[in-house]
mmCIF file of all heavy atoms in Angstrom:
data_model
loop_
_atom_site.group_PDB
_atom_site.id
_atom_site.type_symbol
_atom_site.label_atom_id
_atom_site.label_comp_id
_atom_site.label_asym_id
_atom_site.label_seq_id
_atom_site.Cartn_x
_atom_site.Cartn_y
_atom_site.Cartn_z
ATOM 1 N N ILE A 9 -2.567 20.959 4.090
ATOM 2 C CA ILE A 9 -4.008 20.749 4.283
ATOM 3 C C ILE A 9 -4.673 22.054 4.047
ATOM 4 O O ILE A 9 -4.203 23.123 4.509
ATOM 5 C CB ILE A 9 -4.279 20.282 5.764
ATOM 6 C CG1 ILE A 9 -3.811 18.835 5.961
ATOM 7 C CG2 ILE A 9 -5.757 20.371 6.040
ATOM 8 C CD1 ILE A 9 -3.925 18.377 7.393
ATOM 9 N N CYS A 10 -5.836 22.023 3.385
ATOM 10 C CA CYS A 10 -6.713 23.171 3.304
ATOM 11 C C CYS A 10 -7.999 22.832 4.011
ATOM 12 O O CYS A 10 -8.535 21.728 3.822
ATOM 13 C CB CYS A 10 -6.949 23.545 1.862
ATOM 14 S SG CYS A 10 -8.287 24.730 1.567
ATOM 15 N N CYS A 11 -8.440 23.716 4.880
ATOM 16 C CA CYS A 11 -9.784 23.502 5.535
ATOM 17 C C CYS A 11 -10.692 24.597 5.042
ATOM 18 O O CYS A 11 -10.439 25.804 5.254
ATOM 19 C CB CYS A 11 -9.581 23.516 6.994
ATOM 20 S SG CYS A 11 -11.220 23.470 7.883
ATOM 21 N N GLY A 18 -13.996 24.300 12.048
ATOM 22 C CA GLY A 18 -12.776 24.493 11.267
ATOM 23 C C GLY A 18 -11.668 25.139 12.052
ATOM 24 O O GLY A 18 -10.511 24.661 12.084
ATOM 25 N N GLY A 19 -11.981 26.231 12.765
ATOM 26 C CA GLY A 19 -10.913 27.023 13.477
ATOM 27 C C GLY A 19 -10.231 26.133 14.527
ATOM 28 O O GLY A 19 -9.018 25.874 14.444
ATOM 29 N N PRO A 20 -10.956 25.708 15.605
ATOM 30 C CA PRO A 20 -10.302 24.980 16.625
ATOM 31 C C PRO A 20 -9.703 23.651 16.140
ATOM 32 O O PRO A 20 -8.559 23.275 16.550
ATOM 33 C CB PRO A 20 -11.391 24.667 17.609
ATOM 34 C CG PRO A 20 -12.425 25.745 17.388
ATOM 35 C CD PRO A 20 -12.363 26.081 15.963
ATOM 36 N N THR A 21 -10.375 22.889 15.221
ATOM 37 C CA THR A 21 -9.882 21.625 14.789
ATOM 38 C C THR A 21 -8.509 21.773 14.089
ATOM 39 O O THR A 21 -7.556 21.027 14.397
ATOM 40 C CB THR A 21 -10.892 20.950 13.822
ATOM 41 O OG1 THR A 21 -12.177 20.925 14.486
ATOM 42 C CG2 THR A 21 -10.440 19.535 13.456
ATOM 43 N N MET A 22 -8.446 22.731 13.174
ATOM 44 C CA MET A 22 -7.197 22.895 12.426
ATOM 45 C C MET A 22 -6.103 23.460 13.288
ATOM 46 O O MET A 22 -4.917 23.200 13.040
ATOM 47 C CB MET A 22 -7.458 23.778 11.230
ATOM 48 C CG MET A 22 -8.265 23.013 10.145
ATOM 49 S SD MET A 22 -7.505 21.483 9.600
ATOM 50 C CE MET A 22 -8.817 20.300 9.738
ATOM 51 N N ALA A 23 -6.499 24.261 14.267
ATOM 52 C CA ALA A 23 -5.446 24.793 15.176
ATOM 53 C C ALA A 23 -4.783 23.603 15.940
ATOM 54 O O ALA A 23 -3.564 23.595 16.067
ATOM 55 C CB ALA A 23 -6.113 25.752 16.183
ATOM 56 N N VAL A 24 -5.604 22.664 16.337
ATOM 57 C CA VAL A 24 -5.042 21.486 17.060
ATOM 58 C C VAL A 24 -4.246 20.617 16.108
ATOM 59 O O VAL A 24 -3.159 20.103 16.494
ATOM 60 C CB VAL A 24 -6.165 20.751 17.830
ATOM 61 C CG1 VAL A 24 -5.677 19.420 18.363
ATOM 62 C CG2 VAL A 24 -6.771 21.574 18.940
ATOM 63 N N VAL A 25 -4.689 20.475 14.851
ATOM 64 C CA VAL A 25 -3.912 19.692 13.870
ATOM 65 C C VAL A 25 -2.553 20.372 13.694
ATOM 66 O O VAL A 25 -1.473 19.713 13.767
ATOM 67 C CB VAL A 25 -4.650 19.584 12.564
ATOM 68 C CG1 VAL A 25 -3.733 18.996 11.459
ATOM 69 C CG2 VAL A 25 -5.916 18.730 12.691
ATOM 70 N N ALA A 26 -2.551 21.683 13.481
ATOM 71 C CA ALA A 26 -1.313 22.420 13.216
ATOM 72 C C ALA A 26 -0.363 22.292 14.412
ATOM 73 O O ALA A 26 0.833 22.101 14.253
ATOM 74 C CB ALA A 26 -1.618 23.876 12.884
ATOM 75 N N ASP A 27 -0.932 22.377 15.585
ATOM 76 C CA ASP A 27 -0.132 22.337 16.826
ATOM 77 C C ASP A 27 0.572 20.922 16.971
ATOM 78 O O ASP A 27 1.718 20.880 17.500
ATOM 79 C CB ASP A 27 -1.080 22.548 17.999
ATOM 80 C CG ASP A 27 -0.327 23.053 19.240
ATOM 81 O OD1 ASP A 27 0.740 23.671 19.048
ATOM 82 O OD2 ASP A 27 -0.806 22.900 20.360
ATOM 83 N N CYS A 29 1.085 18.816 14.420
ATOM 84 C CA CYS A 29 1.779 18.313 13.169
ATOM 85 C C CYS A 29 2.632 19.448 12.644
ATOM 86 O O CYS A 29 2.250 20.089 11.600
ATOM 87 C CB CYS A 29 0.777 17.850 12.156
ATOM 88 S SG CYS A 29 -0.488 16.732 12.743
ATOM 89 N N PRO A 30 3.752 19.795 13.253
ATOM 90 C CA PRO A 30 4.531 20.964 12.862
ATOM 91 C C PRO A 30 4.989 20.863 11.400
ATOM 92 O O PRO A 30 5.350 21.924 10.790
ATOM 93 C CB PRO A 30 5.718 20.991 13.815
ATOM 94 C CG PRO A 30 5.668 19.714 14.550
ATOM 95 C CD PRO A 30 4.333 19.117 14.413
ATOM 96 N N ILE A 32 3.255 19.856 8.851
ATOM 97 C CA ILE A 32 2.145 19.998 7.873
ATOM 98 C C ILE A 32 1.777 21.510 7.847
ATOM 99 O O ILE A 32 1.559 22.137 8.888
ATOM 100 C CB ILE A 32 0.949 19.143 8.214
ATOM 101 C CG1 ILE A 32 1.318 17.636 8.231
ATOM 102 C CG2 ILE A 32 -0.238 19.424 7.221
ATOM 103 C CD1 ILE A 32 0.191 16.697 8.554
ATOM 104 N N LYS A 33 1.619 22.038 6.608
ATOM 105 C CA LYS A 33 1.134 23.402 6.476
ATOM 106 C C LYS A 33 -0.409 23.330 6.437
ATOM 107 O O LYS A 33 -0.964 22.689 5.592
ATOM 108 C CB LYS A 33 1.694 24.044 5.225
ATOM 109 C CG LYS A 33 1.246 25.437 4.995
ATOM 110 C CD LYS A 33 1.798 26.030 3.669
ATOM 111 C CE LYS A 33 1.220 27.384 3.453
ATOM 112 N NZ LYS A 33 1.419 27.927 2.111
ATOM 113 N N VAL A 34 -1.005 24.089 7.306
ATOM 114 C CA VAL A 34 -2.488 24.067 7.413
ATOM 115 C C VAL A 34 -3.013 25.473 7.065
ATOM 116 O O VAL A 34 -2.671 26.453 7.672
ATOM 117 C CB VAL A 34 -2.941 23.654 8.827
ATOM 118 C CG1 VAL A 34 -4.470 23.608 8.908
ATOM 119 C CG2 VAL A 34 -2.378 22.329 9.281
ATOM 120 N N THR A 35 -3.924 25.495 6.067
ATOM 121 C CA THR A 35 -4.480 26.796 5.680
ATOM 122 C C THR A 35 -6.024 26.710 5.850
ATOM 123 O O THR A 35 -6.638 25.789 5.316
ATOM 124 C CB THR A 35 -4.143 27.097 4.222
ATOM 125 O OG1 THR A 35 -2.760 27.038 4.050
ATOM 126 C CG2 THR A 35 -4.598 28.497 3.851
ATOM 127 N N ILE A 36 -6.524 27.633 6.562
ATOM 128 C CA ILE A 36 -8.021 27.690 6.762
ATOM 129 C C ILE A 36 -8.578 28.785 5.935
ATOM 130 O O ILE A 36 -8.105 29.938 5.997
ATOM 131 C CB ILE A 36 -8.401 27.916 8.234
ATOM 132 C CG1 ILE A 36 -7.652 26.910 9.172
ATOM 133 C CG2 ILE A 36 -9.869 27.784 8.426
ATOM 134 C CD1 ILE A 36 -8.024 27.040 10.643
ATOM 135 N N VAL A 37 -9.534 28.482 5.049
ATOM 136 C CA VAL A 37 -10.076 29.503 4.157
ATOM 137 C C VAL A 37 -11.542 29.752 4.472
ATOM 138 O O VAL A 37 -12.276 28.847 4.956
ATOM 139 C CB VAL A 37 -9.889 29.114 2.711
ATOM 140 C CG1 VAL A 37 -8.436 28.979 2.296
ATOM 141 C CG2 VAL A 37 -10.658 27.823 2.349
ATOM 142 N N TRP A 47 -9.576 36.281 12.749
ATOM 143 C CA TRP A 47 -8.620 35.180 13.093
ATOM 144 C C TRP A 47 -7.191 35.667 12.948
ATOM 145 O O TRP A 47 -6.302 35.199 13.682
ATOM 146 C CB TRP A 47 -8.860 34.009 12.097
ATOM 147 C CG TRP A 47 -9.958 33.052 12.479
ATOM 148 C CD1 TRP A 47 -11.125 32.859 11.732
ATOM 149 C CD2 TRP A 47 -10.034 32.191 13.607
ATOM 150 N NE1 TRP A 47 -11.878 31.888 12.366
ATOM 151 C CE2 TRP A 47 -11.247 31.525 13.503
ATOM 152 C CE3 TRP A 47 -9.217 31.957 14.707
ATOM 153 C CZ2 TRP A 47 -11.648 30.552 14.483
ATOM 154 C CZ3 TRP A 47 -9.603 31.017 15.656
ATOM 155 C CH2 TRP A 47 -10.828 30.301 15.510
ATOM 156 N N ASN A 48 -6.944 36.682 12.067
ATOM 157 C CA ASN A 48 -5.563 37.155 11.877
ATOM 158 C C ASN A 48 -5.243 38.331 12.811
ATOM 159 O O ASN A 48 -4.176 38.869 12.753
ATOM 160 C CB ASN A 48 -5.402 37.581 10.452
ATOM 161 C CG ASN A 48 -5.128 36.407 9.548
ATOM 162 O OD1 ASN A 48 -4.483 35.439 9.977
ATOM 163 N ND2 ASN A 48 -5.659 36.375 8.359
ATOM 164 N N ILE A 55 -9.994 37.081 18.398
ATOM 165 C CA ILE A 55 -10.286 35.951 17.475
ATOM 166 C C ILE A 55 -11.744 35.647 17.635
ATOM 167 O O ILE A 55 -12.352 35.810 18.717
ATOM 168 C CB ILE A 55 -9.355 34.742 17.692
ATOM 169 C CG1 ILE A 55 -9.451 34.200 19.096
ATOM 170 C CG2 ILE A 55 -7.968 35.088 17.277
ATOM 171 C CD1 ILE A 55 -8.764 32.824 19.279
ATOM 172 N N LEU A 62 -7.842 28.061 23.352
ATOM 173 C CA LEU A 62 -7.630 28.287 21.928
ATOM 174 C C LEU A 62 -6.676 29.371 21.604
ATOM 175 O O LEU A 62 -5.803 29.171 20.725
ATOM 176 C CB LEU A 62 -9.036 28.534 21.280
ATOM 177 C CG LEU A 62 -8.981 28.681 19.755
ATOM 178 C CD1 LEU A 62 -8.456 27.456 19.055
ATOM 179 C CD2 LEU A 62 -10.427 29.015 19.213
ATOM 180 N N LYS A 63 -6.784 30.501 22.264
ATOM 181 C CA LYS A 63 -5.897 31.582 21.868
ATOM 182 C C LYS A 63 -4.400 31.234 22.151
ATOM 183 O O LYS A 63 -3.502 31.660 21.420
ATOM 184 C CB LYS A 63 -6.330 32.968 22.455
ATOM 185 C CG LYS A 63 -6.286 33.147 23.909
ATOM 186 C CD LYS A 63 -6.632 34.661 24.115
ATOM 187 C CE LYS A 63 -6.946 35.040 25.546
ATOM 188 N NZ LYS A 63 -6.402 34.393 26.689
ATOM 189 N N ILE A 65 -3.080 28.349 21.717
ATOM 190 C CA ILE A 65 -2.629 27.517 20.554
ATOM 191 C C ILE A 65 -2.370 28.366 19.300
ATOM 192 O O ILE A 65 -1.424 28.297 18.608
ATOM 193 C CB ILE A 65 -3.667 26.384 20.188
ATOM 194 C CG1 ILE A 65 -3.786 25.436 21.390
ATOM 195 C CG2 ILE A 65 -3.209 25.597 18.935
ATOM 196 C CD1 ILE A 65 -4.750 24.261 21.089
ATOM 197 N N ILE A 66 -3.384 29.273 19.121
ATOM 198 C CA ILE A 66 -3.262 30.192 17.924
ATOM 199 C C ILE A 66 -1.961 30.991 18.001
ATOM 200 O O ILE A 66 -1.247 31.148 17.067
ATOM 201 C CB ILE A 66 -4.515 31.092 17.917
ATOM 202 C CG1 ILE A 66 -5.772 30.355 17.612
ATOM 203 C CG2 ILE A 66 -4.347 32.192 16.784
ATOM 204 C CD1 ILE A 66 -5.955 29.662 16.302
ATOM 205 N N SER A 67 -1.641 31.442 19.221
ATOM 206 C CA SER A 67 -0.391 32.267 19.355
ATOM 207 C C SER A 67 0.815 31.419 19.091
ATOM 208 O O SER A 67 1.870 31.916 18.608
ATOM 209 C CB SER A 67 -0.350 32.926 20.736
ATOM 210 O OG SER A 67 0.074 31.962 21.679
ATOM 211 N N ARG A 68 0.698 30.084 19.336
ATOM 212 C CA ARG A 68 1.890 29.265 19.047
ATOM 213 C C ARG A 68 2.073 28.950 17.542
ATOM 214 O O ARG A 68 3.225 28.959 17.026
ATOM 215 C CB ARG A 68 1.679 27.870 19.743
ATOM 216 C CG ARG A 68 2.106 27.794 21.154
ATOM 217 C CD ARG A 68 2.419 26.379 21.606
ATOM 218 N NE ARG A 68 1.273 25.513 21.593
ATOM 219 C CZ ARG A 68 0.394 25.418 22.582
ATOM 220 N NH1 ARG A 68 0.536 26.169 23.681
ATOM 221 N NH2 ARG A 68 -0.626 24.565 22.570
ATOM 222 N N VAL A 69 0.976 28.728 16.807
ATOM 223 C CA VAL A 69 1.139 28.187 15.431
ATOM 224 C C VAL A 69 0.723 29.156 14.310
ATOM 225 O O VAL A 69 1.145 28.924 13.167
ATOM 226 C CB VAL A 69 0.309 26.881 15.311
ATOM 227 C CG1 VAL A 69 0.882 25.758 16.068
ATOM 228 C CG2 VAL A 69 -1.153 27.066 15.685
ATOM 229 N N ARG A 70 0.023 30.223 14.646
ATOM 230 C CA ARG A 70 -0.425 31.102 13.589
ATOM 231 C C ARG A 70 0.806 31.734 12.838
ATOM 232 O O ARG A 70 1.696 32.170 13.496
ATOM 233 C CB ARG A 70 -1.329 32.188 14.077
ATOM 234 C CG ARG A 70 -2.133 32.885 12.958
ATOM 235 C CD ARG A 70 -3.080 33.899 13.503
ATOM 236 N NE ARG A 70 -2.352 34.885 14.367
ATOM 237 C CZ ARG A 70 -2.928 35.830 15.053
ATOM 238 N NH1 ARG A 70 -4.253 35.926 15.049
ATOM 239 N NH2 ARG A 70 -2.236 36.690 15.798
ATOM 240 N N ASN A 71 0.697 31.712 11.524
ATOM 241 C CA ASN A 71 1.776 32.199 10.662
ATOM 242 C C ASN A 71 3.062 31.433 10.768
ATOM 243 O O ASN A 71 4.122 31.822 10.243
ATOM 244 C CB ASN A 71 2.039 33.680 10.856
ATOM 245 C CG ASN A 71 0.788 34.471 10.521
ATOM 246 O OD1 ASN A 71 0.016 34.051 9.615
ATOM 247 N ND2 ASN A 71 0.571 35.622 11.123
ATOM 248 N N LYS A 72 3.008 30.251 11.491
ATOM 249 C CA LYS A 72 4.171 29.323 11.433
ATOM 250 C C LYS A 72 3.732 28.172 10.454
ATOM 251 O O LYS A 72 4.182 28.109 9.341
ATOM 252 C CB LYS A 72 4.489 28.779 12.815
ATOM 253 C CG LYS A 72 5.074 29.823 13.726
ATOM 254 C CD LYS A 72 5.881 29.176 14.862
ATOM 255 C CE LYS A 72 6.509 30.335 15.732
ATOM 256 N NZ LYS A 72 5.686 30.596 16.914
ATOM 257 N N ASN A 73 2.747 27.399 10.961
ATOM 258 C CA ASN A 73 2.257 26.356 10.008
ATOM 259 C C ASN A 73 0.701 26.430 9.962
ATOM 260 O O ASN A 73 0.075 25.516 9.475
ATOM 261 C CB ASN A 73 2.745 24.950 10.350
ATOM 262 C CG ASN A 73 2.211 24.439 11.700
ATOM 263 O OD1 ASN A 73 2.006 25.222 12.598
ATOM 264 N ND2 ASN A 73 1.993 23.167 11.768
ATOM 265 N N LEU A 74 0.129 27.507 10.527
ATOM 266 C CA LEU A 74 -1.353 27.662 10.442
ATOM 267 C C LEU A 74 -1.637 29.043 9.857
ATOM 268 O O LEU A 74 -1.132 30.055 10.358
ATOM 269 C CB LEU A 74 -1.977 27.557 11.787
ATOM 270 C CG LEU A 74 -3.481 27.790 11.882
ATOM 271 C CD1 LEU A 74 -4.239 26.660 11.144
ATOM 272 C CD2 LEU A 74 -3.979 27.971 13.281
ATOM 273 N N PHE A 75 -2.446 29.075 8.786
ATOM 274 C CA PHE A 75 -2.726 30.347 8.090
ATOM 275 C C PHE A 75 -4.219 30.536 7.848
ATOM 276 O O PHE A 75 -4.942 29.505 7.628
ATOM 277 C CB PHE A 75 -1.952 30.374 6.715
ATOM 278 C CG PHE A 75 -0.479 30.222 6.882
ATOM 279 C CD1 PHE A 75 0.124 28.934 6.942
ATOM 280 C CD2 PHE A 75 0.334 31.307 7.076
ATOM 281 C CE1 PHE A 75 1.463 28.770 7.148
ATOM 282 C CE2 PHE A 75 1.708 31.128 7.296
ATOM 283 C CZ PHE A 75 2.294 29.854 7.325
ATOM 284 N N PHE A 76 -4.635 31.747 7.940
ATOM 285 C CA PHE A 76 -6.081 32.067 7.678
ATOM 286 C C PHE A 76 -6.135 33.002 6.465
ATOM 287 O O PHE A 76 -5.417 34.023 6.414
ATOM 288 C CB PHE A 76 -6.667 32.763 8.865
ATOM 289 C CG PHE A 76 -6.771 31.943 10.096
ATOM 290 C CD1 PHE A 76 -5.745 31.878 11.021
ATOM 291 C CD2 PHE A 76 -7.892 31.132 10.337
ATOM 292 C CE1 PHE A 76 -5.831 31.095 12.163
ATOM 293 C CE2 PHE A 76 -8.018 30.371 11.462
ATOM 294 C CZ PHE A 76 -6.971 30.348 12.402
ATOM 295 N N THR A 77 -6.933 32.626 5.478
ATOM 296 C CA THR A 77 -6.995 33.490 4.278
ATOM 297 C C THR A 77 -8.357 33.330 3.567
ATOM 298 O O THR A 77 -9.111 32.382 3.842
ATOM 299 C CB THR A 77 -5.847 33.046 3.271
ATOM 300 O OG1 THR A 77 -6.048 33.747 2.039
ATOM 301 C CG2 THR A 77 -5.847 31.569 2.970
#
Side-chain angles (χ1 to χ4, degrees):
I9 289 174
C10 167
C11 172
T21 307
M22 289 301 130
V24 170
V25 170
D27 202 26
C29 310
I32 300 180
K33 180 183 176 192
V34 181
T35 308
I36 309 183
V37 298
W47 277 115
N48 281 323
I55 59 171
L62 182 59
K63 66 175 169 24
I65 298 183
I66 297 290
S67 78
R68 276 202 294 276
V69 290
R70 196 179 54 187
N71 298 330
K72 289 200 180 98
N73 66 329
L74 178 70
F75 301 88
F76 294 91
T77 173

